[in-house]
Amino acid sequence: MNLKIAIQGIKGSNHHQVAKEYFHDDSQLVECMSFDFLVDRLLDKTADVGVMAIENSIAGSIIPNYALVYHQNLHIIGEHYLNINHNLMVLKGQGIDDIEEVRSHPMALLQCKEFFRDYPKVKLVEDVDTAETARCIQDGKLKHVAAIAPQVAADLYDLDIVAPEIQTIKNNATRFIIVKTKNKELPKEEINKASVRFVTGHKRGSLAAVLNVMSDCRLSLTKIQSLPIIETPWKYSFFVDVTFEDYEYFEKSKSLLNIMAEDFKVLGEYKNARI
């Protein structure tokens, strides 16, 4: 496909794994050390498409990414769910008893907190990315330092996994969205999920009325996330994901919500990855 795929992080990250699984090709990765930088690469056309984490089954929503999608006028063209396994890895020749410091992304450290109760002398250090810490250990031949990272990072950077799957909750998954600056047209018969954003008024029951319309149109709500509107204190926007069996149901709801809700916008229409 020769797509240039922007990912948050570097090769060996969970975003890299999603790119491999979703596109079946990771030959042209654009590595980005932040989600803002990832969006910039889409806007300046350095990348064609982006992979962006949006929510985790344990930690919840990555709220700033909702705002990025909306404010930068991105289009969600797909989604992918990835089971997250955190592995403790070190330079070859090192063992778990040699570890004095563990570095990783704050989310990974949080999700592995219980494991380190048995190692009170180990210092936990927040870093920008899981795979980046693994690469640094190999590049710097760092002894007494471990990384928490995916299996693919150990393979890429030739590290030994001294403790696999150390996350506290084993059933840990992250939902990723696939984004572009332009909408990808899918045949209507293939579309069974959508993401929308809207604002409701201050009148009593405004949100309930919108949700009732969705229900009446036979939409199943799978996610609702509120974000404050910074320019208007105490007013909120709502980001909602819905699934449906027939695109006509969603089409009907769109015409009604355009009238009922303020600033109604479709952020993406795509295939439900959970089916």
Side-chain angles (χ1 to χ4, degrees):
M1 290 187 291
N2 295 319
L3 277 178
K4 290 174 286 184
I5 307 166
I7 61 169
Q8 192 277 320
I10 64 170
K11 289 181 179 179
S13 65
N14 286 315
H15 281 76
H16 176 200
Q17 185 66 42
V18 171
K20 290 179 67 174
E21 293 181 9
Y22 188 87
F23 294 103
H24 308 291
D25 180 11
D26 61 346
S27 57
Q28 294 196 63
L29 291 180
V30 179
E31 299 173 333
C32 308
M33 295 316 293
S34 72
F35 288 113
D36 290 287
F37 192 73
L38 183 154
V39 172
D40 288 343
R41 298 293 69 80
L42 292 173
L43 296 177
D44 66 19
K45 303 187 186 307
T46 302
D48 302 309
V49 64
V51 175
M52 180 182 288
I54 197 71
E55 61 178 310
N56 178 264
S57 59
I58 297 173
S61 299
I62 304 173
I63 290 177
N65 286 354
Y66 283 92
L68 273 176
V69 170
Y70 172 70
H71 288 296
Q72 299 302 333
N73 200 30
L74 298 180
H75 298 270
I76 302 171
I77 64 164
E79 64 176 2
H80 189 79
Y81 290 82
L82 183 70
N83 290 326
I84 305 297
N85 292 316
H86 294 307
N87 304 285
L88 190 66
M89 56 192 69
V90 295
L91 203 63
K92 286 190 178 297
Q94 294 274 289
I96 197 165
D97 293 332
D98 297 313
I99 298 172
E100 297 175 359
E101 183 177 295
V102 174
R103 303 176 187 174
S104 196
H105 188 277
M107 192 70 72
L109 293 172
L110 178 65
Q111 294 174 359
C112 300
K113 190 176 179 181
E114 288 300 314
F115 177 84
F116 292 104
R117 288 186 182 276
D118 294 331
Y119 301 91
K121 293 184 180 180
V122 171
K123 182 180 180 182
L124 303 181
V125 179
E126 294 184 358
D127 213 328
V128 67
D129 181 67
T130 54
E132 176 68 18
T133 57
R135 183 170 70 176
C136 287
I137 288 172
Q138 183 56 253
D139 289 350
K141 305 299 179 188
L142 302 179
K143 296 182 178 180
H144 310 296
V145 178
I148 300 172
Q151 170 76 49
V152 65
D155 298 338
L156 278 171
Y157 304 119
D158 197 29
L159 300 178
D160 280 342
I161 293 177
V162 292
E165 299 184 18
I166 63 171
Q167 65 272 14
T168 303
I169 300 175
K170 302 305 179 184
N171 187 17
N172 176 13
T174 294
R175 176 180 175 236
F176 295 78
I177 52 175
I178 314 302
V179 293
K180 291 183 71 173
T181 56
K182 293 183 178 180
N183 194 17
K184 176 184 178 183
E185 294 289 340
L186 281 175
K188 290 182 179 180
E189 60 269 18
E190 293 185 18
I191 298 171
N192 55 10
K193 189 170 184 178
S195 297
V196 301
R197 184 261 191 194
F198 57 86
V199 177
T200 60
H202 283 298
K203 293 181 180 178
R204 184 176 62 186
S206 295
L207 177 59
V210 170
L211 297 180
N212 282 335
V213 166
M214 291 182 176
S215 177
D216 291 343
C217 291
R218 302 175 70 178
L219 307 185
S220 297
L221 188 149
T222 61
K223 175 74 177 181
I224 182 167
Q225 178 69 54
S226 65
L227 267 72
I229 299 174
I230 297 173
E231 303 84 6
T232 311
W234 311 117
K235 196 166 187 179
Y236 293 84
S237 60
F238 295 91
F239 291 78
V240 173
D241 295 331
V242 293
T243 59
F244 39 88
E245 294 181 4
D246 193 313
Y247 186 81
E248 288 184 5
Y249 301 155
F250 180 60
E251 210 157 34
K252 180 182 177 181
S253 73
K254 282 194 292 184
S255 62
L256 293 172
L257 294 175
N258 264 319
I259 299 169
M260 293 182 60
E262 301 174 30
D263 297 328
F264 176 75
K265 182 178 181 181
V266 177
L267 303 176
E269 301 175 358
Y270 48 96
K271 293 181 182 180
N272 182 3
R274 299 298 296 272
I275 295 178

